[in-house]
């Protein structure tokens, strides 16, 4: 029992402490990755909102509807009302993140 206890104290506990220290570093990396994924999710959600708003503002139809509408001859007064509905707004590109800012190792050359 004494030899087993001394082996645990002298060998196993330092190994466990070393592994626990390594795990803390992994936990920090996981926390950073979760924050990164959340930031990306917020960015994608914002872009989706802008796309939906642009489609609503510009009256975009799915491509099948566009094809059907192009084959049907529309009276001229209908075309005028749809074009007057569109407002010319300046396009402002969204601010995007750069992956290289978060993963600097991507700038390095491949093997």
């Amino acid at each position: 029992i004494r030899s087993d206890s001394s082996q645990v104290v002298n060998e196993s506990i330092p190994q466990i402490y070393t592994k626990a220290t390594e795990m803390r570093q992994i936990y920090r990396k996981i926390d950073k990755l979760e924050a990164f994924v959340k930031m990306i999710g917020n960015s994608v959600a914002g872009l989706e909102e802008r796309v939906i708003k642009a489609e609503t503002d510009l009256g975009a139809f799915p491509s099948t509807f566009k094809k059907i509408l192009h084959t049907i001859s529309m009276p001229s007064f209908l075309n005028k009302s749809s074009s007057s509905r569109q407002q010319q707004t300046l396009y402002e590109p969204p601010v995007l993140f750069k992956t290289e800012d978060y993963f600097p190792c991507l700038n390095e050359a491949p093997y």
Side-chain angles (χ1 to χ4, degrees):
I1 292 175
R2 286 183 186 171
S3 76
D4 288 347
S5 295
S6 66
Q7 181 183 6
V8 167
V9 169
N10 294 332
E11 294 176 17
S12 299
I13 291 180
Q15 290 175 351
I16 291 171
Y17 180 79
T18 302
K19 291 295 178 184
T21 304
E22 291 173 10
M23 291 304 295
R24 280 189 214 107
Q25 293 173 356
I26 291 173
Y27 295 150
R28 280 189 219 108
K29 288 180 182 180
I30 290 171
D31 290 342
K32 288 179 181 180
L33 185 60
E34 285 177 343
F36 180 71
V37 168
K38 184 177 179 180
M39 189 259 316
I40 298 298
N42 290 338
S43 178
V44 169
L47 289 174
E48 278 184 308
E49 288 177 13
R50 289 182 69 162
V51 167
I52 291 170
K53 184 180 181 321
E55 287 177 344
T56 303
D57 291 347
L58 298 175
F61 290 105
S63 61
T64 54
F65 290 127
K66 285 182 182 179
K67 289 178 186 176
I68 292 171
L69 291 176
H70 284 297
T71 59
I72 301 171
S73 61
M74 298 282 244
S76 62
F77 68 90
L78 287 178
N79 289 337
K80 289 180 183 177
S81 65
S82 65
S83 64
S84 65
R85 187 181 65 169
Q86 294 179 351
Q87 296 176 353
Q88 290 293 335
T89 58
L90 294 175
Y91 173 72
E92 295 178 23
V95 177
L96 299 176
F97 67 93
K98 292 184 179 182
T99 308
E100 295 83 15
D101 294 343
Y102 297 92
F103 298 99
C105 61
L106 295 178
N107 291 331
E108 298 173 2
Y111 298 96

